Amino acid sequence: MLTTSARLLRLVSLLSSRPSWTCGELAERMEVTDRTVRRDVARLRELGYGVESDPGPWGGYRLSGGARALPLLLDDEEALAVAVALRGAASSGVLGGDQAVLSALLKLQQSLPRRVAERLAGMDATFVHAHRPGEPQIAPGTLLELAGACRGGQRVRLSYRDGGGRDSVREVDPYRLVHNGRRWYFVALDVARGEWRTFRADRVVQVRGTGQPVAEPVELPDPALLVVRNTGTGRYPVYASVRFPVPLEEALRLVPASVGTHRPDGPGACVVEIGGPDAEGLARYLLGLAVPLRVLGPQEVRQALLRLLRGVAEENGEEDGG
């Protein structure tokens, strides 16, 4: 005999499986009396579920669009099918930059019964996906691990293989996953360098937790803009390295992390790489900051800034005979 709570969940599952049920049909499927069905329907209504009924011998019960979200009840085969579909959607990027699929997959995998999880792992080991030429391949479960790292708020040790085949291990503070074109990118703070970095998800070899919480950043970057700037698509024609004689925290207030890439340069200074449409445009942006700074390069940006400064000085010099 099912417990009351299990019976209520079973009733909700039946009601959601088709438009309408008679009391007798529900009683037969649940192996209870008509009176128990009516009592359980009343309990569901008390809990906030919208269960409507039609009077008469041919009337029945049905779910309405109530204010309460219904629990999702899946049998083993349904859970396995949903997990496989979500993994396929995440790996192919068919949903673009929408990270809801990763969040749903993470929640589902954490709640799968062991027997279903083992079957899913077995399918991962035997399935082969024929990628198109040039399409990056992502190991099964890698996106899920990276999504979990972003949600977990824990510093991780990332084993990574770059485009030249060189392996490295670094500690990073996870932030976001970004889909751009056919690739997924992992945005994280490189702890040793103190810089926000983008890592191609298909080049991630292993992700291991360190047990340390992520550091509280002064300012979080726009992950999509960071990926666009760092991956070559949408790069600015001109970049300048600018030294500000202020600590990193103040430099981030002057130039947001979504605009420039920051690195400390001693205890009281910071070097920021900033992109722009041309040397003149970059110079105008730097002049508008109205703070002391030094353009380390390139020369064309430095000269453009000096020309603007000379023009401002000439326009604001003392008038003759004043």
Side-chain angles (χ1 to χ4, degrees), residues 222-277:
D222 182 317
L225 289 178
L226 190 64
V227 168
V228 168
R229 187 171 69 239
N230 291 353
T231 57
T233 57
R235 275 187 176 271
Y236 288 111
V238 179
Y239 279 87
S241 293
V242 184
R243 188 179 190 274
F244 294 89
V246 297
L248 175 61
E249 181 176 350
E250 187 173 345
L252 282 165
R253 284 196 291 267
L254 291 170
V255 182
S258 59
V259 174
T261 303
H262 302 64
R263 61 178 174 85
D265 187 37
C270 188
V271 173
V272 185
E273 184 184 31
I274 309 172

Side-chain angles (χ1 to χ4, degrees), residues 23-299:
C23 184
E25 289 173 331
L26 290 172
E28 182 179 356
R29 291 291 297 270
M30 298 176 62
E31 299 180 352
V32 296
T33 64
D34 290 4
R35 181 180 178 183
T36 298
V37 170
R38 289 191 291 269
R39 185 169 60 244
D40 287 347
V41 167
R43 288 177 179 173
L44 287 179
R45 288 169 174 165
E46 291 174 358
L47 293 172
Y49 295 105
V51 183
E52 297 179 348
S53 59
D54 295 321
W58 302 108
Y61 296 104
R62 64 179 180 273
L63 288 176
S64 64
R68 186 72 176 267
L70 298 173
L72 181 62
L73 301 177
L74 302 173
D75 60 26
D76 287 3
E77 297 299 325
E78 291 171 335
L80 185 62
V82 172
V84 171
L86 287 173
R87 285 200 173 191
S91 298
S92 65
V94 67
L95 297 181
D98 189 355
Q99 297 189 49
V101 62
L102 294 175
S103 178
L105 181 56
L106 186 65
K107 293 176 182 177
L108 178 62
Q109 181 147 318
Q110 290 174 338
S111 62
L112 286 178
R114 176 175 295 181
R115 58 184 180 276
V116 180
E118 290 175 352
R119 291 182 63 188
L120 183 61
M123 295 175 71
D124 280 341
T126 56
F127 278 3
V128 176
H129 177 65
H131 290 261
R132 296 186 297 271
E135 183 180 355
Q137 299 188 37
I138 302 177
T142 297
L143 280 178
L144 187 62
E145 291 182 13
L146 294 175
C150 292
R151 288 168 54 94
Q154 179 185 151
R155 181 168 295 172
V156 300
R157 188 167 291 108
L158 188 72
S159 298
Y160 188 74
R161 181 170 296 126
D162 65 18
R166 295 178 294 269
D167 291 335
S168 63
V169 177
R170 62 193 81 188
E171 290 191 359
V172 300
D173 287 348
Y175 180 39
R176 288 291 186 273
L177 275 170
V178 177
H179 186 263
N180 184 18
R182 295 197 310 270
R183 295 191 176 102
W184 283 96
Y185 292 90
F186 177 50
V187 177
L189 179 69
D190 189 313
V191 177
R193 300 183 183 183
E195 298 177 353
W196 288 101
R197 304 293 301 275
T198 57
F199 303 93
R200 273 180 48 173
D202 55 295
R203 293 176 179 168
V204 172
V205 179
Q206 189 179 42
V207 182
R208 290 171 293 174
T210 64
Q212 303 179 50
V214 299
E216 289 293 334
V218 176
E219 185 172 350
L220 294 170
D222 182 317
L225 289 178
L226 190 64
V227 168
V228 168
R229 187 171 69 239
N230 291 353
T231 57
T233 57
R235 275 187 176 271
Y236 288 111
V238 179
Y239 279 87
S241 293
V242 184
R243 188 179 190 274
F244 294 89
V246 297
L248 175 61
E249 181 176 350
E250 187 173 345
L252 282 165
R253 284 196 291 267
L254 291 170
V255 182
S258 59
V259 174
T261 303
H262 302 64
R263 61 178 174 85
D265 187 37
C270 188
V271 173
V272 185
E273 184 184 31
I274 309 172
D278 49 43
E280 293 291 336
L282 259 179
R284 286 193 294 271
Y285 175 80
L286 295 174
L287 184 63
L289 295 177
V291 295
L293 58 87
R294 178 177 179 81
V295 177
L296 303 179
Q299 184 70 16

